[in-house]
Amino acid sequence: MARFDLLRPVCRLATFVTKWTPECDRRIYRLMCYVDSTLHYRMVGFVGDKWETLEPHLYSDADVAGCTETNRSTSGVEGPRTRFPTVVRSARQTSISTSTPEAEIVAGHFALQKVLLPTLDLWDCLLPAGYRAHFHEDNQAMIQVCKTGKNPTMNTLKRCHGVDLSFLHERLSDSAGDGAGNNRDPCDLVDTVTDRMAAY
């Protein structure tokens, strides 16, 4: 709960509980050695801004074929925060993606549906009217696909991840909003450099 850096390796090992191998033994030993050598690590969160300037931020990222056994990707999400992490998820994707933008679309759908949207009602009560949430993404191809709802170079995208793509396009695209340049939710898709991404 207080060591988000352990979330991915623990969740990864948990997927092998019913098919444990000697490689899993080596991985859990390495994980325990890391935990033992980093007992002094602490997660610190703080709010250092004025209340009316606070805005939620959502970071979504994915690795492609990160699981060597199934070739499935892993979705990483760090939820709304004001320099204060509140939600973190790490989950193996249920489908196989053939490119980084595809894996990012699946992770983005997971992040928006399971983390940001459920919290908007809370933010509506806590934050001043007119606030904007920020959805951070570091893959330009994924951002462009979300804005346009299509990508002619990724021929199988609609068939493989059509629901994820349609959902993201509907919620985050200006063109799919109210016609005045506002998307359906108070959320802006932000192109963020990889080194500034907090999710993965």
Side-chain angles (χ1 to χ4, degrees):
M1 293 297 293
R3 289 290 302 272
F4 292 163
D5 56 326
L6 302 179
L7 189 62
R8 183 173 181 236
V10 169
C11 290
R12 174 72 57 85
L13 282 169
T15 64
F16 292 98
V17 168
T18 59
K19 46 185 180 290
W20 201 261
T21 65
E23 176 62 25
C24 296
D25 287 332
R26 287 190 287 273
R27 289 180 180 179
I28 198 169
Y29 175 74
R30 183 176 179 185
L31 175 61
M32 290 300 102
C33 290
Y34 173 74
V35 171
D36 183 60
S37 65
T38 58
L39 291 175
H40 60 285
Y41 281 15
R42 295 290 183 271
M43 181 174 67
V44 178
F46 63 92
V47 178
D49 300 311
K50 292 183 178 180
W51 185 251
E52 59 271 13
T53 64
L54 300 180
E55 294 180 323
H57 291 258
L58 175 71
Y59 295 83
S60 173
D61 210 346
D63 69 347
V64 179
C67 179
T68 55
E69 300 293 323
T70 63
N71 290 326
R72 290 180 180 170
S73 305
T74 304
S75 298
V77 177
E78 182 167 330
R81 67 180 198 149
T82 54
R83 300 188 188 277
F84 197 103
T86 57
V87 178
V88 175
R89 298 283 300 269
S90 177
R92 187 170 65 181
Q93 295 180 1
T94 57
S95 60
I96 295 177
S97 297
T98 59
S99 65
T100 300
E102 285 187 23
E104 296 279 358
I105 286 170
V106 176
H109 176 254
F110 176 82
L112 190 63
Q113 181 188 33
K114 302 293 187 184
V115 178
L116 185 60
L117 290 183
T119 64
L120 287 180
D121 290 334
L122 174 64
W123 298 124
D124 288 344
C125 295
L126 296 178
L127 298 179
Y131 77 91
R132 302 291 294 177
H134 304 279
F135 187 110
H136 294 271
E137 177 57 50
D138 64 347
N139 188 281
Q140 288 79 19
M142 184 271 200
I143 293 173
Q144 189 62 28
V145 169
C146 288
K147 289 181 177 179
T148 62
K150 57 186 176 181
N151 189 327
T153 61
M154 299 165 66
N155 298 328
T156 61
L157 184 60
K158 277 281 192 184
R159 181 172 293 277
C160 297
H161 303 299
V163 174
D164 297 339
L165 176 57
S166 298
F167 182 82
L168 290 171
H169 177 65
E170 180 181 296
R171 306 312 304 189
L172 297 175
S173 172
D174 294 341
S175 61
D178 59 7
N182 300 314
N183 51 25
R184 293 176 181 270
D185 303 307
C187 181
D188 298 319
L189 190 56
V190 181
D191 184 2
T192 306
V193 295
T194 303
D195 291 344
R196 299 289 300 275
M197 290 293 290
Y200 207 65

